[in-house]
Amino acid sequence: MSSSFKDALKSGKFVITSEVAPPKGTNLEKMAHHVELLKDKVDAMNVTDHQSSVMRFPSLGGALLVKEMGGEPILQMTCRDRNRMALEADLLFASSRGINNVLCLTGDSIVLGDHKEAKSVFDVDSSQLLATIRLMEKGKDMGGNNLDGAVSFCAGAIVTPEANPIEPQLIKFEKKIEAGAEFIQTQAVYDLDNFKRFMEYARGFPAKILAGVILLTSAPMARFMNKNVAGVSVPQSLIDEMASAPKGGALAKGIEIAGRMIKQIWEEKMCDGVHIMAIGKEELVPEIIEMSGIFPALKTQD
Amino acid sequence: MIRSITQQKSEEEIDQLLSGLGRIFVIGCGTCVTLTHTGGRTEVNVMKEHLANKGKLITGDLVLPVACDNMTAEALNEHGQQIDQADALLIMTCAFGVQTIAKQLKKLVVPALDTLFIGKETALGQFDEVCAQCGTCILGETGGICPVTSCHKGLVNGPCGGTNDGKCEIDNAKDCAWTLIYNRLNELGRLDGMRKLQKPRNHQGEPSPGKFIL
Ligand code: SF4
Ligand code: SF4
């Protein structure tokens, strides 16, 4: 396997990942446009898997598109829609086509999505999926049978550093690393002092940590996330800053804040990199990276 | 005591199920559905009135003491004629009762209720699902709280990322099972149990349909 993402993680440089969302339908134009914009700016891009339980073009197909376009995909896989056989089969396929990075997720509930009466699966969970990847790398499947051709992946998972209560979440985090997670992308963090405390703990584990940065698009959007997104807490000072933006300038303010946060995470070497989520506004990611001012520096690092 | 927890189907669905059927015999039950106010004497009377208003002829009614037990010969004798006269039996018991009656009476049965789960009354007027009879019990690892049933996703290795303030991502009226399990194991000084990476569950402990022969 050659995973340029894994190499980037190993190199010790500050790693930047972002994400692209497959379309609702067969029109891949917009996604391809985002891939084109991002592929030389980030070390890898996550391809989301029916995000928020909304049915879309599959992440596997999206990851193939990224690959074909010369980008480095991270295949997101949730356990919501496929049982262990289907997950294993998709891992075989991904591996055979040079998709070498997987992000293992449990997946949101069906009832939160757009197919509310569908059957949910959850035959395995995120930590078991990670263990499955490690098993398949040894040439075995979950039924105990030999594989004719093993897989090889750079596998990762997520953590919510601001979850409440935090202890059960941290136990799960440790189990994911024990099961084989090499990298961890975090849920959005906004209070960097809290994040530093989390990192003091997380540094004790053998996984690279990429801090989640979600672009704020308006003050109401920030308040909405505080109310509705588990484990995301935007401090009042940032909400006020968003609200202080001149009319029509909220998005620019959001880009400024995201850039500033990335810069601080990088300068203070808080963790191993960032995962930038612009949810629907992926075309702004290059601007966010530019705003952080780290890109020329990173280039010389390469 | 375990209880069969039911909810009345919508008026439209019941009307649709009964369309073209003019003569109806209504059956309730004195046990679980009486407790949940979905098929006791009061609800049977309300249903009869509703059906009469819709132009149905009620040939009779009966509230069985325990509808999931076979009907006694006395009950059958007493109501046999009224049951015979009916085009269909509208059954306001849980699905165990509906199936028991269908087998015994060989009449078209129409359920008026949806059976939601087998549960327990955990507070006055509150019923919770506690066991889904999965066939491979793991309560020994979780401090006696069932994640297969109490966690919306049936996760066995700890919480998902959607848990919020101890509540489940799907409904903040529902507790997150993994906060409960964490607290229980913490109390018992047994958090090591939660740290153990659990294997994927065996979902075929008893391949359905379940059958047990002594
Ligand atoms: S694990 Fe849960 S659902 Fe399965 S038998 Fe035990 S209590 Fe019931
Ligand atoms: S929030 Fe808790 S109970 Fe709900 S699905 Fe996640 S882990 Fe399970």
Side-chain angles (χ1 to χ4, degrees):
Chain A
M1 169 189 84
S2 76
S3 158
S4 65
F5 174 55
K6 188 170 183 153
D7 293 343
L9 289 174
K10 272 207 206 139
S11 73
K13 72 167 198 164
F14 192 76
V15 170
I16 301 181
T17 58
S18 186
E19 59 187 31
V20 287
K24 180 113 186 153
T26 55
N27 181 356
L28 292 163
E29 243 167 70
K30 187 170 169 206
M31 182 185 167
H33 175 62
H34 289 156
V35 174
E36 196 58 51
L37 281 176
L38 289 172
K39 66 178 187 184
D40 298 322
K41 300 265 181 346
V42 298
D43 293 290
M45 54 192 110
N46 291 30
V47 184
T48 52
D49 179 11
H50 306 305
Q51 199 167 30
S52 307
S53 306
V54 170
M55 191 288 294
R56 285 171 174 270
F57 188 84
S59 60
L60 196 50
L64 260 186
L65 179 71
V66 173
K67 188 84 200 168
E68 284 162 8
M69 292 181 64
E72 176 75 349
I74 299 175
L75 174 70
Q76 292 200 1
M77 281 184 110
T78 75
C79 301
R80 177 189 53 240
D81 311 309
R82 286 164 287 187
N83 71 1
R84 61 190 82 174
M85 290 178 72
L87 289 166
E88 288 174 298
D90 283 356
L91 286 167
L92 292 179
F93 180 77
S95 197
S96 77
R97 299 297 291 267
I99 296 166
N100 297 320
N101 314 296
V102 184
L103 183 77
C104 301
L105 305 158
T106 296
D108 293 329
S109 163
I110 284 281
V111 302
L112 304 176
D114 73 345
H115 282 57
K116 293 189 191 304
E117 298 188 355
K119 181 165 185 169
S120 54
V121 182
F122 301 113
D123 184 21
V124 296
D125 63 39
S126 50
S127 51
Q128 294 162 344
L129 181 58
L130 284 156
T132 299
I133 288 175
R134 298 306 173 220
L135 178 72
M136 292 174 77
E137 286 181 333
K138 294 195 188 97
K140 289 274 181 196
D141 72 10
M142 291 176 82
N145 311 292
N146 292 324
L147 297 173
D148 180 8
V151 304
S152 176
F153 288 109
C154 175
I158 61 163
V159 71
T160 306
E162 303 239 18
N164 180 30
I166 187 68
E167 295 84 357
Q169 184 74 206
L170 296 183
I171 291 177
K172 184 86 178 261
F173 165 79
E174 292 175 26
K175 287 166 93 162
K176 286 174 176 178
I177 294 173
E178 185 196 333
E182 295 159 74
F183 69 94
I184 300 282
Q185 293 172 324
T186 80
Q187 174 58 287
V189 290
Y190 288 99
D191 184 327
L192 294 183
D193 287 328
N194 279 350
F195 181 63
K196 279 188 225 171
R197 275 190 288 279
F198 168 76
M199 280 309 302
E200 275 167 31
Y201 153 85
R203 272 187 203 290
F205 298 90
K208 301 285 184 178
I209 312 278
L210 309 182
V213 174
I214 295 185
L215 172 69
L216 297 174
T217 55
S218 67
M221 174 266 193
R223 281 188 216 105
F224 178 87
M225 281 207 297
N226 275 351
K227 204 162 162 251
N228 297 295
V229 184
V232 172
S233 121
V234 186
Q236 190 57 43
S237 59
L238 283 185
I239 298 178
D240 292 344
E241 194 180 341
M242 286 301 292
S244 76
K247 206 166 164 23
L251 202 52
K253 189 47 116 181
I255 294 171
E256 179 193 324
I257 292 172
R260 188 175 75 208
M261 284 176 52
I262 295 169
K263 182 163 194 260
Q264 195 187 343
I265 293 169
W266 171 60
E267 281 182 344
E268 297 186 21
K269 297 194 169 48
M270 276 182 222
C271 60
D272 306 292
V274 285
H275 176 59
I276 307 169
M277 293 164 276
I279 311 172
K281 296 197 160 34
E282 283 75 15
E283 66 279 0
L284 298 177
V285 170
E287 228 176 297
I288 297 172
I289 297 174
E290 194 147 318
M291 188 60 80
S292 74
I294 68 175
F295 203 51
L298 279 185
K299 271 282 166 209
T300 56
Q301 230 185 311
D302 277 344
Chain B
M1 189 186 278
I2 66 169
R3 299 287 184 190
S4 197
I5 307 306
T6 50
Q7 178 178 286
Q8 196 171 116
K9 285 181 180 289
S10 69
E11 198 178 314
E12 301 81 70
E13 190 179 349
I14 294 174
D15 289 350
Q16 203 205 333
L17 286 165
L18 293 178
S19 84
L21 302 166
R23 302 155 75 89
I24 311 292
F25 186 86
V26 184
I27 302 181
C29 172
T31 310
C32 305
V33 294
T34 293
L35 190 77
T36 52
H37 307 304
T38 46
R41 172 43 68 194
T42 317
E43 294 76 41
V44 166
N45 287 346
V46 172
M47 180 61 77
K48 280 166 54 188
E49 202 179 311
H50 168 75
L51 295 179
N53 289 338
K54 295 259 171 178
K56 306 282 184 196
L57 182 79
I58 308 300
T59 63
D61 72 81
L62 167 63
V63 176
L64 292 164
V66 186
C68 55
D69 279 348
N70 279 341
M71 278 168 82
T72 57
E74 297 91 86
L76 281 174
N77 287 342
E78 200 181 321
H79 296 275
Q81 214 181 351
Q82 296 170 341
I83 289 170
D84 276 348
Q85 286 167 355
D87 297 326
L89 311 176
L90 181 70
I91 306 192
M92 302 180 71
T93 75
C94 77
F96 290 87
V98 177
Q99 296 199 34
T100 306
I101 293 163
K103 216 167 177 174
Q104 234 188 325
L105 296 186
K106 300 196 174 55
K107 269 259 164 203
L108 179 68
V109 292
V110 173
L113 310 181
D114 282 318
T115 302
L116 304 179
F117 55 88
I118 306 302
K120 233 187 113 54
E121 187 165 24
T122 49
L124 193 65
Q126 175 181 312
F127 303 88
D128 285 292
E129 186 177 17
V130 293
C131 169
Q133 297 89 40
C134 77
T136 46
C137 193
I138 56 165
L139 284 175
E141 322 252 16
T142 56
I145 298 168
C146 172
V148 173
T149 313
S150 309
C151 166
H152 169 69
K153 298 172 190 167
L155 304 177
V156 296
N157 271 307
C160 72
T163 173
N164 209 4
D165 295 331
K167 299 295 173 189
C168 179
E169 72 175 18
I170 63 155
D171 183 348
N172 60 18
K174 296 186 178 187
D175 292 325
C176 170
W178 278 102
T179 302
L180 299 178
I181 294 170
Y182 173 84
N183 290 341
R184 174 80 56 86
L185 290 174
N186 195 20
E187 253 169 50
L188 298 173
R190 295 277 169 165
L191 278 177
D192 279 359
M194 190 166 159
R195 292 183 196 281
K196 194 175 131 214
L197 190 62
Q198 301 288 350
K199 288 212 189 78
R201 288 179 52 236
N202 173 9
H203 291 278
Q204 303 295 341
E206 167 63 7
S208 75
K211 199 175 195 84
F212 181 77
I213 300 169
L214 201 60

